[in-house]
Amino acid sequence: MLPTKHTTLTQAGTVAAMLVLSACSDTKTPNDANFRKALEPMVSDIFCRTIPIQRMSLNDGLTQPFPIIVPVAPVEGADPDDARSRTLVEEAARDGLLTRTELNAPAKRADFTLPLTRQALISYTPTDRGKAYFRPVDAKTSSGMRAFPGVCAARGEIVDVVRWTDPADALGRTVSQVTFTYRGVEPLPSLPEDVRSKITQPEERTVALVRTSDGWEAL
């Protein structure tokens, strides 16, 4: 028996709906949802930076980002930003974002091949409230990417995916230029009001996203 017109139209509509749903669920499709997913990890840390502070290590292994351990007396020849970083962690401790602990233990300059010598130290560990602001941040070193103690002025949030270019070939990879707006939410409590106000205002940025087998990711 031949299908009726009603049956044919219904089947056609079902097929069309399935195609639309398939396109929407394909992570490689250039659309708002897929680009937003690729941008979110980068944007969440957009207000984070490493803390340039001269750290001490209690062992011969690779120094972990936290706790931040520093000598009571600043190390001679430390980075010029060391003093500002010390002020930052002291203020954070007063605000309840870091737990400040004084100790006396064998230690050496972090990442230096030196003997351990007993000395007066201060340790700073993020509190539960402080973990949103003081957390590991990856940075490039001569031996590759590595995690360092970091501070985040705010948590980055995508406001809108504004526009994107049609995917095009670039050196053998499929790339799209994506423009989006972002802002900072839940700013660091100690920030001056003018800085807090600036961070929370939407900013526009354009980045290149490359299509992979799993979807899109930032170059």
Side-chain angles (χ1 to χ4, degrees):
M1 182 178 67
L2 294 174
T4 64
K5 182 178 180 181
H6 173 75
T7 302
T8 304
L9 290 175
T10 301
Q11 290 176 340
T14 301
V15 171
M18 290 177 63
L19 289 173
V20 170
L21 288 173
S22 177
C24 291
S25 62
D26 186 352
T27 58
K28 292 180 284 187
T29 301
N31 60 31
D32 184 292
N34 288 338
F35 288 146
R36 187 179 291 266
K37 182 179 179 181
L39 291 167
E40 280 174 347
M42 178 189 72
V43 173
S44 66
D45 290 346
I46 208 164
F47 295 103
C48 300
R49 63 175 179 82
T50 58
I51 302 173
I53 193 168
Q54 181 56 64
R55 295 179 294 155
M56 304 298 288
S57 176
L58 302 181
N59 54 59
D60 292 323
L62 191 66
T63 305
Q64 297 301 309
F66 291 97
I68 299 173
I69 300 175
V70 301
V72 170
V75 175
E76 184 178 350
D79 189 285
D81 288 332
D82 184 70
R84 286 190 289 270
S85 295
R86 281 172 169 265
T87 299
L88 169 71
V89 295
E90 278 293 317
E91 290 179 350
R94 287 195 293 270
D95 290 338
L97 302 179
L98 295 173
T99 297
R100 184 185 190 277
T101 306
E102 295 187 8
L103 63 154
N104 191 290
K108 66 179 182 63
R109 287 184 63 178
D111 304 325
F112 279 72
T113 305
L114 297 168
L116 299 174
T117 59
R118 182 168 292 277
Q119 54 193 291
L121 307 165
I122 305 172
S123 171
Y124 299 92
T125 303
T127 62
D128 287 341
R129 189 163 68 92
K131 288 177 181 177
Y133 304 101
F134 290 88
R135 52 192 177 86
V137 171
D138 289 336
K140 186 179 293 186
T141 70
S142 58
S143 58
M145 297 298 290
R146 183 178 159 195
F148 290 88
V151 59
C152 302
R155 175 173 57 83
E157 176 184 81
I158 296 174
V159 177
D160 188 28
V161 177
V162 181
R163 59 185 175 274
W164 58 85
T165 61
D166 290 334
D169 179 76
L171 300 176
R173 295 188 290 185
T174 302
V175 176
S176 177
Q177 298 289 331
V178 181
T179 300
F180 62 97
T181 52
Y182 66 95
R183 66 184 173 189
V185 295
E186 301 173 4
L188 189 67
S190 60
L191 288 178
E193 186 55 41
D194 60 331
V195 177
R196 292 168 64 89
S197 178
K198 179 176 175 56
I199 284 177
T200 55
Q201 295 302 309
E203 292 275 343
E204 186 173 284
R205 185 173 179 179
T206 299
V207 299
L209 297 186
V210 60
R211 186 159 61 193
T212 71
S213 58
D214 297 323
W216 294 87
E217 64 180 35
L219 281 174

